[in-house]
C-alpha cells in the first residue's frame, strides 16, 4: 500500500474526506488575504504559502496594521536582535486599531525591546552552559532538551531563546544531529527527550520523522515529546499527513505554547482535535506576560478554552529576564495571585504549575501560594482555597 493510501485508511474514508468542509475564512482572514494579490483561499490553507509569505518588513505590516511610532522604532531596530516574522494567518488575529491587542504585543516589535535592564541576560536559563554537544541541553539527569532547529513561524518578542532563533541562522548539519544522537545513545540514564527548537514543526515531515524514528530506536528512550507553538501560530501545518506520521510513533506527547484565549480559533481547534484524535496527549505552556495575560480572568478563560480543545494546562512560566523583556515581565506576586484564583476555584485539570526557570540555570522551580499556616509537632494547620482553616495530624 502506498503511504497516501495508509493515511487515508488511518484517518478518513474518501467519503469523509469529501465531506470535510474546508474551514471558512473569517472576515479578518479575508482582509489579510486580500493584501496578497492573486492568492486564493487554497493558498491560505497551505502552510508552505503561509511560511513563504511571513510578514518581515515594516511596509508589509503597515498594509494590515496602523503602526504606532513605538512599533515603527521597534521594527526598525529589532533586526540585530530578533527579526520580525508573522505568518499571514497569525497577523489576521491582530486588531489593526488596538495597540494593546494581545496578539499584536506578542508579535510586533516595540521600541522597549531595544533597551536592556540590568537584571537581563542573553541566555537567562543558562542553556548554553548545560550543553554537552551542540543542540542538546542536559540539565536534569533523566531527560534532555534537543533543540533541533533555529526557525519558528512567528518570533515571539519575549523569546527566551532569542540568542539563537531567527531566520538566516544556521541549520543544523548532519554531523551535529549525529553527535546529539550519539550523546543520547551513550547516556543510558536519559529516558526522556524533549524535541524543541526553534520550532520542530517548521521542518518538513520527513526530517522530523528521521529525528523521532532515530530517538525511538534508542532502547532507553521511553518518553518523547515535541514542544511547539505552530498549532497556534500556523495551525495549517497540522496536516493529515503530519498527524499520520506522528501517530506511528505513539506514545508521543506534545506541549503547545498558548498565551491568550484569542489564539484559540476554529483552525486551532481543528488542529488540536486532529492531534488529540491521533492519540497524542496535548499539554500547554503559557508565558505570563504583562498586558497579554497577567490577569486571573484572562488566565482562567484561557485554561477553560484549552480544556475544551483537549489540551491540558501544564506550565505557566514567569517571563525569563531575556534582553529587552522588561515591558513584558510581571512581579512574581502577580503569578501567585493568578494561581490563588485558579486552584480550588476551578477544575483541577485547568490549573497548571507556575514555575520560574532559575536564572542562570536552576531549572524549573515551582511556585505556589502557601496553604500551610503552621506545621509543628505533627500538627499541620492548613487553609483551603476559600480561606477556611483545617488541621491535619501526622500519624504518631
Ligand atoms: C523544561 C526543560 C525540560 C523538561 O522539563 P519537564 O519539567 O520535565 O517538563 C528538560 N530539560 C530542560 C533543559 C528544560 O528546560
Ligand atoms: S515559538 Fe518558542 S522558540 Fe520560537 S520565538 Fe516563540 S518562544 Fe521563541
Amino acid at each position: 500500500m502506498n503511504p497516501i493510501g495508509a493515511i487515508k485508511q488511518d484517518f478518513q474514508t474518501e467519503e469523509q474526506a469529501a465531506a470535510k468542509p474546508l474551514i471558512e475564512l473569517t472576515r479578518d482572514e479575508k482582509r489579510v488575504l486580500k493584501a496578497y494579490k492573486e492568492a486564493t483561499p487554497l493558498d491560505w490553507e497551505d502552510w508552505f504559502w503561509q511560511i513563504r509569505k511571513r510578514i518581515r518588513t515594516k511596509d508589509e505590516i503597515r498594509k494590515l496594521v496602523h503602526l504606532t511610532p513605538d512599533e515603527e522604532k521597534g521594527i526598525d531596530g529589532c533586526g540585530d536582535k530578533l527579526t520580525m516574522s508573522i505568518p499571514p494567518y497569525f497577523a489576521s488575529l491582530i486588531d489593526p486599531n488596538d495597540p494593546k491587542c494581545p496578539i499584536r504585543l506578542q508579535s510586533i516589535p516595540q521600541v522597549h525591546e531595544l533597551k536592556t535592564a540590568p537584571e537581563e541576560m542573553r541566555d537567562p536559563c543558562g542553556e548554553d552552559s548545560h550543553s554537552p554537544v551542540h543542540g542538546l541541553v542536559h540539565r536534569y539527569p533523566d531527560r534532555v532538551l534537543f533543540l533541533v532547529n533555529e526557525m519558528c513561524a512567528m518570533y515571539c518578542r519575549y523569546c527566551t531563546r532569542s540568542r539563537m532563533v531567527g531566520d538566516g541562522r544556521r541549520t543544523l548539519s548532519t554531523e551535529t544531529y549525529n553527535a546529539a544522537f550519539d550523546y543520547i545513545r551513550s547516556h543510558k540514564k536519559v529516558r526522556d527527550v524533549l524535541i524543541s527548537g526553534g520550532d520542530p514543526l517548521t521542518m518538513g515531515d520527513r526530517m522530523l520523522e528521521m529525528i523521532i524514528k532515530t530517538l525511538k530506536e534508542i532502547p532507553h528512550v521511553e518518553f518523547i515529546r515535541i514542544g511547539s507553538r505552530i498549532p497556534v501560530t500556523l495551525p495549517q501545518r497540522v496536516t493529515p499527513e503530519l498527524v499520520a506520521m506522528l501517530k506511528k510513533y505513539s506514545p508521543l506527547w506534545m506541549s503547545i505554547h498558548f498565551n491568550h484565549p484569542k489564539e484559540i480559533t476554529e483552525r486551532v481547534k481543528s488542529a488540536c482535535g486532529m492531534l488529540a484524535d491521533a492519540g497524542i496527549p496535548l499539554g500547554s505552556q503559557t508565558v505570563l506576560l504583562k498586558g497579554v495575560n497577567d490577569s486571573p480572568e484572562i488566565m482562567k478563560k484561557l485554561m477553560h478554552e484549552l480544556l475544551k480543545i483537549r489540551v491540558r494546562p501544564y506550565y505557566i512560566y514567569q517571563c525569563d529576564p531575556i534582553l529587552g523583556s522588561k515591558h513584558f515581565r510581571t512581579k512574581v506576586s502577580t503569578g501567585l495571585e493568578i494561581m490563588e484564583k485558579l486552584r480550588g476555584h476551578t477544575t483541577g485539570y485547568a490549573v497548571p504549575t507556575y514555575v520560574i526557570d532559575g536564572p542562570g540555570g536552576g531549572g524549573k522551580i515551582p511556585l505556589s501560594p502557601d496553604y500551610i499556616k503552621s506545621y509543628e509537632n505533627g500538627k499541620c494547620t492548613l487553609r483551603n482555597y476559600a480561606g477556611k482553616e483545617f488541621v491535619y495530624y501526622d500519624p504518631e
Side-chain angles (χ1 to χ4, degrees):
M1 196 194 322
N2 69 40
I4 302 299
I7 287 161
K8 284 219 171 111
Q9 202 165 55
D10 278 352
F11 283 89
Q12 49 193 10
T13 63
E14 291 193 356
E15 258 173 13
Q16 284 168 327
K20 189 178 162 216
L22 284 181
I23 296 177
E24 168 103 39
L25 268 64
T26 64
R27 227 178 52 211
D28 285 318
E29 287 182 305
K30 285 180 189 155
R31 170 177 57 82
V32 173
L33 182 60
K34 258 202 204 137
Y36 299 87
K37 294 193 179 61
E38 290 165 30
T40 67
L42 276 179
D43 290 324
W44 191 263
E45 300 279 348
D46 174 0
W47 72 276
F48 283 114
W49 184 89
Q50 291 279 344
I51 291 256
R52 271 204 315 277
K53 300 294 179 187
R54 284 173 309 155
I55 295 161
R56 321 292 298 281
T57 66
K58 197 158 73 175
D59 284 342
E60 287 172 288
I61 191 74
R62 221 191 240 137
K63 285 186 198 146
L64 306 172
V65 175
H66 302 292
L67 295 178
T68 65
D70 275 359
E71 287 170 332
E72 302 222 2
K73 284 185 212 140
I75 297 169
D76 289 338
C78 73
D80 313 329
K81 188 185 149 256
L82 178 68
T83 53
M84 176 173 72
S85 165
I86 313 172
Y89 160 76
F90 203 65
S92 76
L93 306 184
I94 294 176
D95 183 331
N97 301 311
D98 178 11
K100 292 194 158 70
C101 163
I103 305 296
R104 182 160 170 171
L105 292 176
Q106 295 181 66
S107 57
I108 300 183
Q110 287 179 276
V111 70
H112 315 296
E113 70 179 62
L114 307 176
K115 281 178 286 200
T116 299
E119 68 276 16
E120 293 176 349
M121 294 174 249
R122 193 174 159 271
D123 177 16
C125 303
E127 292 184 333
D128 293 345
S129 61
H130 284 87
S131 180
V133 300
H134 186 79
L136 286 186
V137 184
H138 196 181
R139 170 165 304 130
Y140 304 103
D142 77 334
R143 55 208 190 280
V144 292
L145 170 63
F146 188 3
L147 305 174
V148 297
N149 68 357
E150 303 183 347
M151 180 182 163
C152 307
M154 191 275 278
Y155 292 116
C156 312
R157 304 321 303 170
Y158 49 83
C159 175
T160 197
R161 300 203 183 106
S162 57
R163 70 183 185 287
M164 57 169 280
V165 302
D167 286 37
R169 311 275 171 121
R170 294 149 299 160
T171 47
L172 272 59
S173 65
T174 312
E175 293 79 54
T176 308
Y177 281 124
N178 286 338
F181 292 134
D182 284 343
Y183 181 90
I184 297 169
R185 263 186 219 109
S186 64
H187 286 75
K188 298 225 157 49
K189 286 201 178 121
V190 175
R191 42 164 287 288
D192 168 358
V193 181
L194 162 51
I195 303 172
S196 182
D199 197 314
L201 295 186
T202 54
M203 293 180 156
D205 294 359
R206 267 203 281 174
M207 189 66 189
L208 187 60
E209 177 162 17
M210 181 282 287
I211 293 169
I212 299 171
K213 187 164 185 284
T214 309
L215 292 172
K216 274 270 167 183
E217 283 165 2
I218 302 174
H220 52 272
V221 174
E222 60 184 34
F223 187 76
I224 298 180
R225 53 184 148 162
I226 294 176
S228 174
R229 183 146 167 72
I230 288 262
V232 177
T233 54
L234 182 49
Q236 288 92 330
R237 170 68 186 98
V238 182
T239 59
E241 292 76 14
L242 172 73
V243 175
M245 184 277 281
L246 297 175
K247 189 180 180 179
K248 289 193 290 185
Y249 298 96
S250 173
L252 177 75
W253 292 50
M254 195 179 285
S255 294
I256 307 174
H257 174 169
F258 280 96
N259 289 336
H260 193 276
K262 209 177 155 181
E263 295 171 350
I264 303 174
T265 62
E266 286 306 313
R267 279 178 200 281
V268 170
K269 281 181 199 168
S270 157
C272 290
M274 284 163 72
L275 293 165
D277 284 347
I280 300 168
L282 305 175
S284 87
Q285 317 200 87
T286 297
V287 182
L288 177 57
L289 296 167
K290 193 188 274 179
V292 174
N293 57 19
D294 59 336
S295 84
E297 294 71 33
I298 293 175
M299 223 29 130
K300 196 197 268 185
K301 169 108 168 96
L302 173 62
M303 302 308 155
H304 288 171
E305 292 301 315
L306 289 171
L307 290 189
K308 282 157 67 180
I309 59 167
R310 290 182 282 172
V311 177
R312 161 74 158 110
Y314 181 41
Y315 283 136
I316 291 178
Y317 292 99
Q318 179 70 9
C319 184
D320 293 321
I322 186 74
L323 303 180
S325 63
K326 191 171 169 193
H327 58 299
F328 278 128
R329 285 184 283 119
T330 63
K331 292 182 181 171
V332 174
S333 57
T334 306
L336 288 171
E337 262 164 51
I338 288 170
M339 295 311 294
E340 177 75 57
K341 295 210 165 128
L342 289 175
R343 174 60 69 197
H345 295 275
T346 191
T347 316
Y349 278 123
V351 185
T353 304
Y354 172 43
V355 293
I356 298 187
D357 221 311
K364 297 177 185 70
I365 303 169
L367 292 166
S368 162
D370 203 353
Y371 294 97
I372 299 184
K373 292 239 139 179
S374 67
Y375 183 25
E376 277 173 319
N377 306 323
K379 181 183 177 191
C380 187
T381 307
L382 305 151
R383 61 147 181 115
N384 74 354
Y385 76 99
K388 272 189 159 179
E389 284 196 14
F390 299 86
V391 176
Y392 184 90
Y393 292 98
D394 285 345
E396 283 291 296

